[in-house]
Amino acid sequence: DGGITQSPKYLFRKEGQNVTLSCEQNLNHDAMYWYRQDPGQGLRLIYYSQIVNDFQKGDIAEGYSVSREKKESFPLTVTSAQKNPTAFYLCASNEGHTGNTIYFGEGSWLTVV
Amino acid sequence: QKEVEQNSGPLSVPEGAIASLNCTYSDRGSQSFFWYRQYSGKSPELIMFIYSNGDKEDGRFTAQLNKASQYVSLLIRDSQPSDSATYLCAVGNAGNNRKLIWGLGTSLAVNP
């Protein structure tokens, strides 16, 4: 089945550690996104990529990093510089230039302990 | 600052009634409009999109767009308890289709 796979679904991180969230899609979509969702704050865009080997900062990129070495993959690293990383992280994708309907993965819950 | 506004709710309706969810947006250049449903603890799932003024129907759902008044609404007919969720409105424009502007969502409770 076509879709977006995020892993892990639940992750616990100690303060000062970097963690990487995986996102893989087999929809042949050009564009991929990372959002963060906190209670009462809606979806906030962290990074997005419209094409392989290119990505742009979203509204809250500080403390995060990404790479886009393959069309199918867009991993997100939450670094120790992110002061409040506990949140629900959502990866999404769309066709890019031909349409902007966004489809989401199941999400990853990150908790700092 | 481009904004999308939704009433946070909760909107409570009895089972079988029509639920009406509203969304207003500030950018007159907006051209694409989306409604997503999000169950608690889950990721958003697309319900409908609409690009042209007027109504668009899909099963029990109808999206209504009025660009002159800058609002888009979602009607849910014959509401079911399984429709209880948060409904997110998202808006895109021709200038930057790849970045949608999201509302905070409206919480809907359908009471049996």
Side-chain angles (χ1 to χ4, degrees):
Chain A
D1 287 349
I4 302 169
T5 301
Q6 290 187 239
S7 63
K9 189 171 179 66
Y10 300 97
L11 183 61
F12 296 88
R13 189 194 92 171
K14 293 182 179 179
E15 287 191 17
Q17 285 184 336
N18 294 352
V19 294
T20 297
L21 306 180
S22 170
C23 179
E24 303 278 335
Q25 55 99 358
N26 60 4
L27 301 169
N28 199 33
H29 284 170
D30 290 319
M32 297 186 73
Y33 309 78
W34 275 105
Y35 287 92
R36 168 178 173 149
Q37 190 173 35
D38 298 275
Q41 293 199 41
L43 293 171
R44 292 187 289 170
L45 183 64
I46 304 172
Y47 269 99
Y48 64 103
S49 168
Q50 299 172 7
I51 195 169
V52 175
N53 292 322
D54 186 45
F55 49 83
Q56 288 80 40
K57 293 181 179 180
D59 301 318
I60 55 164
E62 184 176 353
Y64 299 96
S65 65
V66 294
S67 62
R68 186 86 186 276
E69 297 177 359
K70 300 186 299 181
K71 186 175 184 178
E72 303 80 18
S73 179
F74 191 42
L76 173 75
T77 297
V78 184
T79 75
S80 57
Q82 170 51 236
K83 298 306 179 186
N84 188 20
T86 296
F88 187 40
Y89 289 88
L90 290 159
C91 179
S93 70
N94 69 8
E95 294 173 338
H97 66 283
T98 59
N100 60 353
T101 302
I102 278 185
Y103 300 93
F104 288 90
E106 293 188 343
S108 293
W109 289 92
L110 173 63
T111 302
V112 173
V113 297
Chain B
Q1 180 80 4
K2 299 174 183 176
E3 294 181 341
V4 173
E5 295 189 355
Q6 298 180 253
N7 188 325
S8 62
L11 174 65
S12 183
V13 301
E15 183 174 357
I18 296 175
S20 178
L21 305 164
N22 298 312
C23 171
T24 60
Y25 59 94
S26 61
D27 182 8
R28 285 197 170 272
S30 300
Q31 296 191 345
S32 54
F33 307 85
F34 304 85
W35 283 101
Y36 286 80
R37 176 175 63 197
Q38 186 175 25
Y39 293 112
S40 180
K42 304 295 185 182
S43 63
E45 54 181 331
L46 179 70
I47 298 176
M48 294 186 69
F49 59 85
I50 185 168
Y51 297 149
S52 303
N53 271 333
D55 295 358
K56 179 181 179 182
E57 187 174 319
D58 184 1
R60 296 187 296 113
F61 299 97
T62 298
Q64 299 176 319
L65 175 60
N66 185 323
K67 289 186 177 180
S69 300
Q70 295 178 240
Y71 81 80
V72 56
S73 61
L74 179 70
L75 301 178
I76 306 175
R77 291 182 299 280
D78 188 24
S79 295
Q80 301 298 309
S82 59
D83 294 325
S84 298
T86 296
Y87 289 80
L88 304 176
C89 173
V91 174
N93 62 46
N96 196 351
N97 273 341
R98 296 155 188 83
K99 289 179 62 178
L100 298 181
I101 309 299
W102 293 84
L104 297 183
T106 297
S107 175
L108 173 66
V110 180
N111 305 309

